[in-house]
Amino acid sequence: MAKLLTVQSNLAPGLLEEVCLCTSQDGVLAMATESFYPLRASLQTLSAINRVAALKGRSSNKPLLVLIGDRNQLDLFVESIPSWAFSLLDQFWPGPLTCIFQCHRDLPKPITMGNATIGLRCPGHSQLRSILNATGPLTGTSANRSGFSPLSTATEVSDQFGEEIDLILDGGPLPGGLPSTILDLAKSPRILREGPISTEEIQIVLGKQGIRMVDKAAG
């Protein structure tokens, strides 16, 4: 079975060492975020990324999202950011907003699936950001098989994945709720999935700069 560690309010140095060791050895782990338990792995090796995609059972043409600890890590992935997009990051990051950006061309294929874009999120969960700042950016996809409900406890993660993952960080039962809002910022701003942050909230911020969103049904 996966190793199970309990996460306290203050992250112990030993726990951070365990997480860094896991990710440095191409391990896959699950840990709490604002709503559910996602699967995570390092972006440094293709084998770790492929493990996450295989465990998830994702479509072969569906890219993985990336979680970052702070905005300083954007430069590792993003080719360019429209000037008007920074107001959205100021307002909604850290938080439940996944942003799609134009990306560097040399990123691993499972992260982009050959697209010129990448999905990034800086999560609102402070302990998770501390972990991401220790490990570097990690993949982020909910810890459940494709087609099944997201998992809200460490026990559910253990029951579903057993020995297939290496480490579970038990942050207690999570509240669930909507997955993050996904906003395409690669060209004109467009909502791809509405979540905790509404279209109206985003448009208020953009409207102050004279920008309007493209209808999400538009191609």
Side-chain angles (χ1 to χ4, degrees):
M1 299 297 290
K3 187 172 186 178
L4 181 67
L5 299 177
T6 299
V7 179
Q8 305 294 339
S9 55
N10 293 321
L11 292 175
L15 184 140
L16 288 175
E17 290 173 5
E18 288 272 7
V19 175
C20 290
L21 180 63
C22 177
T23 57
S24 69
Q25 295 180 340
D26 297 350
V28 174
L29 63 153
M31 65 181 88
T33 184
E34 300 99 319
S35 53
F36 296 104
Y37 278 80
L39 296 175
R40 311 207 189 286
S42 172
L43 303 175
Q44 298 302 311
T45 62
L46 191 58
S47 60
I49 299 170
N50 284 335
R51 278 190 67 192
V52 171
L55 286 166
K56 182 72 173 179
R58 296 175 73 93
S59 166
S60 60
N61 61 359
K62 191 172 184 180
L64 291 167
L65 301 179
V66 174
L67 297 177
I68 60 175
D70 60 56
R71 280 166 56 172
N72 291 331
Q73 295 174 344
L74 280 172
D75 290 341
L76 298 172
F77 306 98
V78 177
E79 184 70 28
S80 62
I81 301 176
S83 59
W84 46 261
F86 288 100
S87 62
L88 295 169
L89 303 185
D90 292 339
Q91 181 71 26
F92 299 117
W93 272 15
L97 179 68
T98 298
C99 295
I100 309 297
F101 297 102
Q102 293 282 346
C103 68
H104 298 310
R105 296 181 179 179
D106 57 351
L107 297 178
K109 186 177 179 181
I111 297 297
T112 66
M113 294 314 300
N115 297 319
T117 57
I118 188 171
L120 297 170
R121 184 162 79 88
C122 183
H125 195 285
S126 60
Q127 292 175 329
L128 175 52
R129 292 199 306 277
S130 296
I131 290 171
L132 290 166
N133 283 322
T135 62
L138 301 175
T139 58
T141 182
S142 57
N144 59 285
R145 312 285 187 187
S146 289
F148 290 83
S149 299
L151 307 178
S152 57
T153 70
T155 299
E156 291 174 346
V157 175
S158 180
D159 289 344
Q160 187 160 130
F161 290 98
E163 297 180 352
E164 295 180 89
I165 64 175
D166 305 287
L167 179 63
I168 300 172
L169 301 185
D170 187 353
L174 301 178
L178 295 173
S180 65
T181 298
I182 300 180
L183 179 62
D184 188 347
L185 300 176
K187 294 180 181 178
S188 298
R190 179 166 61 107
I191 292 283
L192 302 183
R193 180 180 73 195
E194 189 164 5
I197 300 172
S198 69
T199 301
E200 290 74 18
E201 290 176 286
I202 293 171
Q203 185 55 66
I204 287 171
V205 175
L206 290 173
K208 294 176 181 179
Q209 300 181 78
I211 302 292
R212 288 202 61 81
M213 281 192 291
V214 177
D215 186 272
K216 63 181 178 181

